[in-house]
Amino acid sequence: MADGLSVFLVEDEALIRMMIADMVEELGHHVVAEADNVRDASAFAMTAQYDFAILDINLKGLYVDPVADLIERRGKPFLFATGYGPELLPSLLRRRPILRKPISIDQLKAMIESLFPDAPPRAPH
């Protein structure tokens, strides 16, 4: 983990996805897989090698919960990044961490630290 954490990023808005990816990199981590729809995200959820995932709740009108279920089956941590509230999630996913858009780098940093409290601090790139 000296090189930071590997992140699976699911976001359907290209500019927001690039912004979040830039924040992840600035915090010393790296995005290893990206998807903008449920089909591609489901495939990456099961095959990509990542430490945790950041998921938008609504992908082009489809909810991301099938992807979240796949990630949960692999035992990987994940958080939601959304402009929506938790009420759109199935009840079992409502207890997952949620970053409200617009996301700040400080919020993202705090959320990553809460998911990985034992990870050593990383110098930004």
Side-chain angles (χ1 to χ4, degrees):
M1 284 214 306
D3 294 334
L5 299 165
S6 56
V7 180
F8 171 34
L9 177 57
V10 180
E11 168 62 59
D12 62 344
E13 295 288 336
L15 290 176
I16 295 173
R17 192 171 60 251
M18 289 188 309
M19 181 193 73
I20 294 172
D22 286 348
M23 284 192 254
V24 166
E25 299 283 333
E26 192 172 326
L27 291 171
H29 309 297
H30 51 280
V31 175
V32 294
E34 294 181 32
D36 68 354
N37 62 70
V38 170
R39 186 194 67 229
D40 293 345
S42 295
F44 282 131
M46 293 305 294
T47 61
Q49 296 302 313
Y50 55 91
D51 294 311
F52 76 100
I54 300 172
L55 309 175
D56 186 10
I57 289 179
N58 184 327
L59 301 172
K60 301 178 182 177
L62 297 175
Y63 292 120
V64 77
D65 47 299
V67 179
D69 289 340
L70 293 171
I71 294 168
E72 194 165 54
R73 281 191 216 155
R74 283 186 73 182
K76 302 278 187 184
F78 61 91
L79 59 95
F80 295 106
T82 184
Y84 297 107
E87 64 277 357
L88 291 177
L89 294 168
S91 59
L92 290 176
L93 295 176
R94 288 184 191 157
R95 65 180 182 266
R96 292 292 179 166
I98 295 181
L99 278 174
R100 299 302 290 253
K101 292 178 186 173
I103 298 166
S104 76
I105 193 164
D106 292 335
Q107 291 171 317
L108 180 59
K109 182 178 189 286
M111 189 68 73
I112 292 170
E113 288 172 354
S114 74
L115 289 174
F116 296 93
D118 296 331
R122 283 164 207 78
H125 287 263

